[in-house]
Amino acid sequence: MSDATLRPIAGINFNSFRVRAALILAAVLLLGIIGIRFDSSGTLHKIFVDPFDQMVSAPDLLVQTIWEGLVSGVLYALIALGFVLIFKASGVFNFAQGIMVVFAALTLVGLYEKGVPAFLAVILTLGVMFVLAVAIERVVLRPLVNQPDIILFMATFGITYFLIGLGETVFGGNPKQMITDQLHLPRGAIELKLFGGFVSLQKIDIAAAIIASLMIAVLAVFFQYTRIGRALRAVADSHKAALSVGISLNQIWVIVWFTAGIVALITGIMWGARSDVSFALEIVALKALPVLILGGFTSIPGAIIGGLIIGIGEKLGEFYWGPLIGGGIESWLAYFIALGFLLFRPQGLFGDKIIERI
Amino acid sequence: MKTSVLMKGAALGALLAAGAFAAPAFAQDSIYFSNNAYRTGPFAGSGIPIGDGMRDYIAMINERDGGVNGVKIVYEECETGYDTKKSIECYEQVKSKTIVYSPWSTGATLAAIPRAHVDKLPILSMAYGLSASADGTQFPWVFIPPLTYWDGASVMVKHMAAELGGMDKLKGKKLGLIHLDAPFGKEPIPVLENLAKKYGFELKLYPVAAADMQNQGSLWLSIRRDRPDYLYNQGWGAMNPTAVKEAIKNNFPINKLVGVWWAGGDDDARAGGAEAKGYKSLNFNAAGQDFPVIQDIIKHVVDKGRSTTPKEKVGENLYNRGVYNSMLVVEGIRTAQKLTGKKVITPEDMRRGLESLNIDEARLKEIGMAGFASPVKISCTDHSGHHKAYVAEWDGTKWTQKGDWIEPMKDEVRPLIEANAKDYTEKAGNWPKRTEPCEKSS
């Protein structure tokens, strides 16, 4: 469509992405409303009316769904944060984040099984993650400085396979139980009587939400207001420029990978408590992908808000709309939600608008 | 410089190739058996005990008896990580050497079935794989003893009816099926749909995507909304402990949650802690060490430090299932030796052996498995046997047998199998017609 055919009407610019997206949305809604009136089979009724009926008639389940979404959302945000930190510092999408979750959790449980007290095991695991961060910086990143991003990206694949092999050699492939009791993480549930039904809040979920929120807050403050945080942002803008003003790239990388390691450990404890600690946990980290698409790869608030939107959105979608098409839609719905938002904000929720002059 | 590297590479390559040709894959007086294992990856939790059980039984037979009728079995594993792509690689690697293909995943079995009918290699998919392959007239090379997923689903319905007080009590009840959203998970659906229609109960499906195995929050919310009376869990790997934990979390009565036999790992139930007591799972082998066969494994293999399983884990449910699978292989070899009069048999002979497999109570007693399993008989037309299963219950520390062995609804399952087998071979086009003659005995 050429520009000549689309003249601005009353100051509305039809070429604006937002206006176009809004028009598409309006058209879909309009079709939906018209459809319901002439809908004989009831399909549209099931899509546009029934779910809301259910929400009103059983508000306790709605609250429960939103709570579940909120908890997963916070946990997704935490994983996404691990990615964002490394992306900001080294411009690399860290494919190894998932296996770092497994590795950290396995180290913790493995040390405990060797007879180390639980909290000492946490500290030792943090030590292992620090050593890992230093090793990655020395062996992988330093020799690859100033290489194209894709090379660094491929290097994180290498780290993944290395950690899988190392983890399996040291700890074996058997699933292990997370040491929730020993870490004094609470058990059981609080049941709230609500709207004639009940909402059950798992204490471990509450703990997860609180710990993850605290962690996110600390990280956000750390990288926003400290000297290292400023240095990190400088590195994110340009490696060379940062080097030229005396910022130590090596130091920043170690800090960032170590932080990602801490995030991995907390993620591993929380998800491990929900099922068990095994190599299957690796997949959980991929839940952060739609969050990153939505929130932008470089934004900490983006990761947080994105995580919450994806978490709550996918749970609501699965619970109320999933049964219409046989359920199990959660895994792709997350991407769908992310894409929906991209229609309005192609650079992600809080992503920087990239303006390149040619 | 470059050329020298190239030369070295070429030399190394030649050396490797020479080595491969020089060393025969297996000696003439032994039988080679390759087993797909997954000691790594998301399903390792189930794969390790099974692989250990299989390996230890074969090791015990070699150690105690000097093999099968004096012929040692060379046992090797091909690691798949429960990845269908890798299992096909494994198939290609071993097809010219192994006596029988042991796929250990439904996806791998589905991929191997068409290949095996061309390569003439028998597949032993013990209680997994394509249910329709129980029709020996269409699938002469596939064996699926002692029962299929469809039989399992019918046993589940019978168990539900028995607890409710009769088949007529099923009317108006709700059965939920939690299943992995993969070929394995979807297998029981057609039979359950038929039975739901016939007995008037409602079937609710709860698929779990592989990526969400450990993220079942919203699924269990749906279960809370729908309030099914019973849940049947066709799950595997990390999905099972998560389901047990979620059931407890969501106040679903744990004794109404029944897993397929693959959801009966000790680790699966242990994940739920004390509250998992009462969790159930279908089963066709006994758990525990109180059987002569397990004692022999401990004596000849474990105590000599030749097992990777610690002694206290020997006899766990999935370990014993591995033992059972290897027992089928060994008895298949034995039967084939008897039929052909040969000591070292070929895959063709093995197919005949499996087709004439008949392990009765007396034979079970001889091999130290009295009370460990129920008798198995395979015939030319029936490659499964549709044998009995029982409902096992987790008592908080181990699996115990609750109630009697339940006969599957063969009259419901068999017509479906035959129709489905026909449908499969017709759709495949050019499906090789069975030319292998039936044995007189079967």
Side-chain angles (χ1 to χ4, degrees):
Chain A
M1 207 179 280
S2 80
D3 278 355
T5 55
L6 272 182
R7 291 189 190 289
I9 303 170
I12 299 173
N13 177 8
F14 280 93
N15 287 326
S16 146
F17 211 83
R18 245 181 264 192
V19 175
R20 274 194 210 174
L23 279 177
I24 293 169
L25 205 67
V28 169
L29 276 178
L30 199 70
L31 276 176
I33 291 164
I34 295 169
I36 290 168
R37 279 198 64 79
F38 297 97
D39 181 26
S40 51
S41 65
T43 316
L44 288 165
H45 190 271
K46 277 185 199 144
I47 299 173
F48 290 103
V49 183
D50 265 2
F52 298 102
D53 273 357
Q54 281 184 40
M55 288 181 200
V56 176
S57 60
D60 56 325
L61 281 175
L62 178 64
V63 174
Q64 184 84 56
T65 314
I66 293 177
W67 165 251
E68 297 279 336
L70 195 75
V71 175
S72 337
V74 176
L75 288 170
Y76 294 163
L78 191 61
I79 310 176
L81 211 59
F83 283 102
V84 167
L85 288 176
I86 290 183
F87 190 84
K88 270 171 93 92
S90 39
V92 168
F93 176 79
N94 177 20
F95 190 78
Q97 187 70 35
I99 196 66
M100 279 167 72
V101 171
V102 178
F103 191 74
L106 276 179
T107 310
L108 174 65
V109 179
L111 284 171
Y112 179 79
E113 282 179 357
K114 292 265 179 317
V116 181
F119 283 96
L120 188 62
V122 172
I123 294 168
L124 286 178
T125 308
L126 287 176
V128 171
M129 294 320 277
F130 181 73
V131 172
L132 185 71
V134 174
I136 288 175
E137 190 273 319
R138 282 286 156 87
V139 182
V140 183
L141 297 177
R142 200 181 286 185
L144 293 179
V145 82
N146 246 342
Q147 296 285 330
D149 290 346
I150 188 72
I151 305 261
L152 283 164
F153 177 53
M154 294 315 288
T156 65
F157 274 76
I159 297 172
T160 305
Y161 289 112
F162 173 75
L163 285 180
I164 291 177
L166 184 67
E168 274 167 357
T169 316
V170 180
F171 305 107
N174 273 317
K176 297 176 172 52
Q177 298 302 318
M178 182 40 75
I179 44 171
T180 31
D181 290 342
Q182 293 82 345
L183 289 172
H184 297 292
L185 288 170
R187 245 177 203 283
I190 301 170
E191 292 209 350
L192 301 175
K193 294 244 176 302
L194 215 66
F195 312 113
F198 73 97
V199 175
S200 117
L201 310 179
Q202 292 293 315
K203 287 182 191 161
I204 181 90
D205 285 352
I206 300 174
I210 294 173
I211 293 172
S213 310
L214 274 178
M215 183 77 202
I216 292 168
V218 169
L219 286 177
V221 169
F222 180 71
F223 285 104
Q224 208 64 38
Y225 297 106
T226 61
R227 196 179 60 85
I228 293 172
R230 275 199 299 279
L232 170 78
R233 275 175 286 145
V235 171
D237 273 347
S238 162
H239 290 181
K240 274 188 212 162
L243 277 172
S244 71
V245 294
I247 292 170
S248 160
L249 213 52
N250 303 336
Q251 193 193 10
I252 291 289
W253 276 345
V254 169
I255 289 171
V256 163
W257 279 80
F258 178 46
T259 317
I262 300 174
V263 169
L265 176 61
I266 291 176
T267 315
I269 294 175
M270 293 310 170
W271 281 105
R274 297 181 135 214
S275 65
D276 58 5
V277 181
S278 69
F279 281 82
L281 272 182
E282 193 191 346
I283 314 169
V284 166
L286 292 181
K287 294 300 283 192
L289 264 185
V291 176
L292 292 170
I293 296 174
L294 176 56
F297 277 79
T298 51
S299 162
I300 290 175
I304 300 166
I305 306 287
L308 293 180
I309 291 176
I310 296 280
I312 295 174
E314 69 171 21
K315 296 286 182 264
L316 284 176
E318 173 75 53
F319 187 63
Y320 288 105
W321 284 274
L324 293 178
I325 42 173
I329 64 171
E330 212 170 323
S331 39
W332 56 261
L333 189 68
Y335 289 91
F336 209 74
I337 297 170
L339 288 177
F341 272 87
L342 286 191
L343 218 53
F344 294 89
R345 286 191 64 87
Q347 69 275 26
L349 271 185
F350 296 86
D352 305 322
K353 209 166 202 166
I354 300 164
I355 303 165
E356 287 192 29
R357 298 186 199 287
I358 307 166
Chain B
M1 177 68 188
K2 268 237 168 89
T3 26
S4 93
V5 171
L6 216 66
M7 292 280 283
K8 270 185 204 159
L12 193 70
L15 211 67
L16 281 175
F21 285 117
F26 49 100
Q28 282 305 310
D29 53 351
S30 61
I31 291 171
Y32 179 85
F33 168 48
S34 169
N35 180 38
N36 282 0
Y38 35 101
R39 295 172 180 276
T40 62
F43 297 88
S46 310
I48 291 174
I50 285 172
D52 285 346
M54 288 199 69
R55 187 168 61 190
D56 292 356
Y57 183 78
I58 303 265
M60 187 272 284
I61 291 288
N62 281 338
E63 185 74 25
R64 188 192 64 185
D65 308 344
V68 191
N69 290 323
V71 184
K72 289 224 172 183
I73 302 171
V74 178
Y75 173 90
E76 269 185 10
E77 283 183 357
C78 189
E79 174 67 36
T80 67
Y82 201 71
D83 181 343
T84 302
K85 290 191 295 296
K86 282 195 200 153
S87 69
I88 296 172
E89 262 175 60
C90 285
Y91 176 88
E92 294 297 331
Q93 272 171 31
V94 303
K95 70 176 181 193
S96 57
K97 300 190 285 182
T98 188
I99 194 80
V100 60
Y101 180 61
S102 172
W104 271 113
S105 102
T106 292
T109 314
L110 296 182
I113 286 174
R115 290 174 168 82
H117 280 83
V118 175
D119 299 328
K120 304 212 174 290
L121 177 66
I123 297 175
L124 176 60
S125 50
M126 179 198 65
Y128 58 85
L130 181 71
S131 297
S133 67
D135 184 351
T137 55
Q138 305 282 353
F139 297 95
W141 293 92
V142 191
F143 297 89
I144 182 166
L147 75 171
T148 67
Y149 287 140
W150 292 358
D151 298 308
S154 75
V155 169
M156 171 65 206
V157 172
K158 271 187 150 179
H159 162 73
M160 192 163 101
E163 284 205 347
L164 292 168
M167 291 312 245
D168 52 320
K169 300 283 186 338
L170 287 172
K171 207 169 176 61
K173 296 288 176 199
K174 240 187 238 180
L175 170 65
L177 172 70
I178 313 171
H179 66 93
L180 189 67
D181 208 357
F184 150 67
K186 292 186 210 159
E187 267 288 318
I189 296 174
V191 163
L192 287 177
E193 275 174 348
N194 277 6
L195 293 176
K197 229 178 277 156
K198 182 165 176 188
Y199 294 105
F201 64 87
E202 192 185 342
L203 176 68
K204 284 261 176 197
L205 300 181
Y206 303 104
V208 178
D212 281 322
M213 285 197 302
Q214 293 168 306
N215 189 17
Q216 299 176 11
S218 36
L219 181 146
W220 284 89
L221 273 175
S222 308
I223 289 172
R224 205 175 121 189
R225 171 182 58 196
D226 301 342
R227 294 167 208 265
D229 298 287
Y230 280 84
L231 280 174
Y232 185 45
N233 173 25
Q234 182 97 1
W236 193 221
M239 178 180 157
N240 296 330
T242 316
V244 172
K245 279 194 172 181
E246 287 282 351
I248 293 165
K249 214 171 110 172
N250 286 279
N251 292 329
F252 185 84
I254 194 79
N255 56 350
K256 299 280 162 66
L257 173 63
V258 184
V260 68
W261 38 85
W262 301 121
D266 287 53
D267 286 323
D268 297 340
R270 216 175 273 138
E275 290 154 293
K277 190 175 170 223
Y279 172 57
K280 292 188 173 60
S281 156
L282 302 185
N283 211 344
F284 52 84
N285 62 271
Q289 298 187 343
D290 303 332
F291 302 94
V293 61
I294 304 296
Q295 287 306 320
D296 277 355
I297 290 177
I298 292 176
K299 187 173 149 204
H300 293 286
V301 185
V302 181
D303 282 349
K304 290 188 180 163
R306 294 207 187 120
S307 174
T308 47
T309 291
K311 195 170 170 182
E312 70 275 9
K313 287 204 153 205
V314 170
E316 283 194 351
N317 197 13
L318 290 182
Y319 180 91
N320 281 8
R321 185 124 354 118
V323 169
Y324 181 85
N325 194 151
S326 275
M327 180 275 287
L328 291 178
V329 172
V330 168
E331 292 306 303
I333 294 173
R334 215 186 287 278
T335 314
Q337 286 172 330
K338 210 160 104 193
L339 276 176
T340 59
K342 289 194 269 182
K343 289 242 161 185
V344 180
I345 55 161
T346 63
E348 274 91 352
D349 302 333
M350 183 66 177
R351 196 201 67 76
R352 290 176 59 195
L354 285 170
E355 200 159 71
S356 311
L357 198 67
N358 184 8
I359 306 168
D360 53 13
E361 287 289 2
R363 182 66 196 150
L364 281 173
K365 194 149 190 267
E366 274 169 34
I367 54 178
M369 286 195 177
F372 183 89
S374 84
V376 185
K377 187 175 185 328
I378 294 177
S379 73
C380 185
T381 48
D382 185 349
H383 273 197
S384 161
H386 311 285
H387 295 292
K388 290 182 245 179
Y390 71 91
V391 179
E393 189 177 292
W394 180 254
D395 74 353
T397 48
K398 62 180 188 307
W399 287 101
T400 56
Q401 180 164 352
K402 269 273 142 128
D404 293 331
W405 290 79
I406 303 175
E407 195 89 51
M409 302 182 198
K410 196 174 170 183
D411 47 334
E412 293 286 336
V413 174
R414 198 61 205 180
L416 255 177
I417 282 184
E418 276 158 24
N420 230 270
K422 220 167 150 219
D423 191 49
Y424 178 102
T425 49
E426 268 167 17
K427 272 194 195 137
N430 267 339
W431 190 260
K433 265 234 145 28
R434 176 173 175 142
T435 51
E436 294 78 10
C438 291
E439 302 298 330
K440 280 192 210 87
S441 56
S442 70

